[in-house]
Amino acid sequence: MKKKFVCLLMAAACTASLAACGGSASETTAAAAADTTAAETKAADDTTAAEAEETTAAEEKEEASEGKQLIMATNAEFPPYEYHDSSMTGPDGSDIVGIDAEIAGAIAEKLGMELVIEDIAFDSIIPELQSGKADIGAAGMTVTEDRLVNVDFSDTYATAVQVIIVTEGSEIAGPDDLAEKTIGVQQGTTGDIYASDDFGDENVDRYPKGVDAVQALLQGKVDAVIIDNEPAKVFVSENEGLKLLDTAYAEEEYAIAVKKGNTELLDQINGALAELKESGTLDEIVAKYISAE
Ligand code: ARG
């Protein structure tokens, strides 16, 4: 193992803005509105005055998005963050469920918007945001410097680790043993990027879905799979003959992506995320899909 593992801990950079959504601006607006109505004693009837006092800047913003669609691009092949489950109904009424789907559902609800989930290839998510076809990318997406060139990310909502899956009898015991081996990954993911950097393009086999890479491992077509820890646990538990190595490969942070420069939506998302963290809803969503060990 020659190269150092990439470590993308952006927690410090991403948490700073969480508490910044106080009420001072809206209080001022409400006070101003109250003053105005006091002065104009004749004109305004009671209803108008009450409305003016209650309508804060934040509410006005929310009303602007009220009833609009919030289009989420994802790749629903990534349990427990997003996957199809025909026995459940997801937040947009489809069978796409999981942590990201529910977080996005909760954010949309706070913004008074209707969530619509689009299930596409993982490496199409950023282009969809850039072209404006989707508003948010929520896909267990890792914040990386390269991606930050093309999209903006919200505050982070989860940490993850890239892990290595091998077959039970494998001699591979850690990243050092991966040199000259064939590594299966999901195309365009950080697992793909890190493995290609560290072990060479020619040693990496890319599959459209993580589960396809896992099937390739079971069939002996690849020697190991590098993928995020939570889906890895699901895939190992669903397939006999596989094991997870306990040596972590790289640590990372998940966040929601938006089109570069869409600060209005980004601020709304960060505000909603902060509320979901504060109220414990985020933890509840995670606990619904990941049982504590
Ligand atoms: N965290 C990894 C990345 O950002 C993998 C995400 C894959 N997500 C998915 N929904 N398939 O590259």
Side-chain angles (χ1 to χ4, degrees), residues 75 78 82 122 139-142 147 186 189-190 228 252 254:
N75 169 250
F78 198 69
E82 46 268 332
F122 183 73
M141 195 180 272
T142 303
R147 289 175 183 165
Q186 181 181 19
T189 59
T190 45
D228 306 47
E252 31 185 54
Y254 292 167

Side-chain angles (χ1 to χ4, degrees), residues 1-7 174-179 192-204 248-250:
M1 195 61 237
K2 280 159 208 84
K3 280 190 197 164
K4 261 249 143 275
F5 301 143
V6 195
C7 192
D176 291 336
D177 301 329
L178 289 176
D192 179 4
I193 297 160
Y194 304 158
S196 305
D197 279 354
D198 287 341
F199 306 104
D201 256 356
E202 67 284 5
N203 294 317
V204 178
Y249 182 59

Side-chain angles (χ1 to χ4, degrees), residues 59-280:
E59 279 167 0
E60 271 164 23
K61 249 192 182 173
E62 238 162 67
E63 270 161 26
S65 49
E66 196 86 36
K68 280 197 198 155
Q69 290 188 334
L70 182 69
I71 302 176
M72 158 178 160
T74 195
N75 169 250
E77 301 294 342
F78 198 69
Y81 283 91
E82 46 268 332
Y83 57 101
H84 292 269
D85 184 338
S86 55
S87 71
M88 290 168 80
T89 304
D92 75 336
S94 74
D95 70 344
I96 298 175
V97 296
I99 295 170
D100 287 329
E102 293 211 17
I103 290 175
I107 290 173
E109 202 182 311
K110 283 193 181 291
L111 302 183
M113 296 174 85
E114 183 206 339
L115 183 73
V116 177
I117 303 181
E118 275 184 9
D119 181 16
I120 59 177
F122 183 73
D123 54 5
S124 298
I125 296 174
I126 289 180
E128 290 263 303
L129 294 173
Q130 290 178 304
S131 71
K133 279 192 198 149
D135 303 305
I136 63 171
M141 195 180 272
T142 303
V143 180
T144 71
E145 277 173 32
D146 285 348
R147 289 175 183 165
L148 277 166
V149 173
N150 298 312
V151 288
D152 286 334
F153 280 103
S154 71
D155 295 323
T156 63
Y157 61 88
T159 48
V161 187
Q162 293 295 313
V163 293
I164 302 166
I165 310 176
V166 294
T167 50
E168 250 154 27
S170 173
E171 288 162 6
I172 298 170
D176 291 336
D177 301 329
L178 289 176
E180 304 307 316
K181 295 286 195 300
T182 305
I183 302 160
V185 296
Q186 181 181 19
Q187 164 115 5
T189 59
T190 45
D192 179 4
I193 297 160
Y194 304 158
S196 305
D197 279 354
D198 287 341
F199 306 104
D201 256 356
E202 67 284 5
N203 294 317
V204 178
D205 280 359
R206 299 168 185 84
Y207 296 88
K209 308 173 185 176
V211 75
D212 297 339
V214 171
Q215 287 310 316
L217 177 63
L218 285 166
Q219 291 159 11
K221 292 180 187 159
V222 300
D223 302 305
V225 168
I226 295 181
I227 194 164
D228 306 47
N229 54 330
E230 291 300 338
K233 281 193 235 161
V234 174
F235 296 146
V236 167
S237 74
E238 283 175 354
N239 293 284
E240 260 174 50
L242 297 179
K243 66 176 181 189
L244 252 182
L245 300 182
D246 10 286
T247 37
Y249 182 59
E251 281 185 47
E252 31 185 54
E253 299 267 350
Y254 292 167
I256 295 171
V258 301
K259 186 179 188 163
K260 194 121 205 88
N262 192 352
T263 41
E264 188 180 339
L265 180 60
L266 198 63
D267 288 349
Q268 288 180 317
I269 290 171
N270 281 336
L273 261 182
E275 285 175 22
L276 294 172
K277 285 178 187 172
E278 179 69 30
S279 64

